[in-house]
Amino acid sequence: LDTGETTDAAFRLLKWWIKLHGIPMAIYVDLKSLYISPKSLRYSDENDLVEPEWLTHFSKGCKALGIEVIKAYSPQAKGRVERNHGVYQDRFVKELRLRNIKTIEAANQLLQKGFIDKLNQKFMKEPQSTDDAHIGLLADQDLNDILCLEYTRTVHNDWIIRFESQYLQIQKKHSNKVRPK
């Protein structure tokens, strides 16, 4: 749990999942801007959805890991996701009240100590295939380097970059690694 649905929270959840199960083949998401850029939702002349060139930080991380991001476009798909989350949220809130849990840390402990497993046992459906669609993380893959915020900036002639209304000076000792422009 976190205080909101943020990129950082989504990255932490995906890291946890990958460490537990491996890299998933695909992730099903709603059209929230943390997953899907509004800039990327455009159509071709034939009314086909165009694959985005501009990706969110989350989508970039998924692409680097080979995870397909499946977007819930239809009202039916969005409804399925919302109904499913409604079940989890409703039951989780009731469990928090029963146990008098009032902090995020304590709620996370409840989740990690079997709440989700019990809920999944109750509502799970048999899969069409028992094949695992996860792959292991490669030895040279560092999730902290993949699931992170990346920005492109231009180095000016005076070895300064601008980032979020701040000017950052690159030290002279690093001038052989980075060039202006």
Side-chain angles (χ1 to χ4, degrees), residues 86-103:
V87 167
Y88 293 140
Q89 290 168 356
D90 180 59
R91 293 178 187 280
F92 187 57
V93 169
K94 288 176 182 172
E95 192 68 23
L96 292 174
R97 285 186 185 135
L98 282 171
R99 295 174 184 245
N100 199 28
I101 293 175
K102 298 182 190 245
T103 66

Side-chain angles (χ1 to χ4, degrees), residues 27-33 35-44 47-56 59 68-82:
I27 296 177
Y28 194 61
V29 300
D30 62 17
L31 298 182
K32 187 171 177 137
S33 61
Y35 305 114
I36 306 298
S37 167
K39 296 177 188 178
S40 70
L41 299 175
R42 57 191 177 86
Y43 291 86
S44 69
N47 209 28
D48 293 324
L49 197 64
V50 176
E51 184 61 32
E53 293 176 17
W54 196 93
L55 300 172
T56 65
S59 295
E68 178 186 4
V69 177
I70 302 170
K71 303 154 195 85
Y73 287 109
S74 71
Q76 296 85 354
K78 291 177 189 177
R80 278 192 302 273
V81 170
E82 291 302 319

Side-chain angles (χ1 to χ4, degrees), residues 95-125:
E95 192 68 23
L96 292 174
R97 285 186 185 135
L98 282 171
R99 295 174 184 245
N100 199 28
I101 293 175
K102 298 182 190 245
T103 66
I104 290 175
E105 293 79 18
N108 282 333
Q109 285 292 319
L110 175 63
L111 288 172
Q112 293 169 359
K113 294 193 176 181
F115 176 81
I116 293 174
D117 294 332
K118 289 176 190 169
L119 204 57
N120 284 339
Q121 286 293 328
K122 185 171 184 173
F123 293 103
M124 77 176 183
K125 296 178 182 174

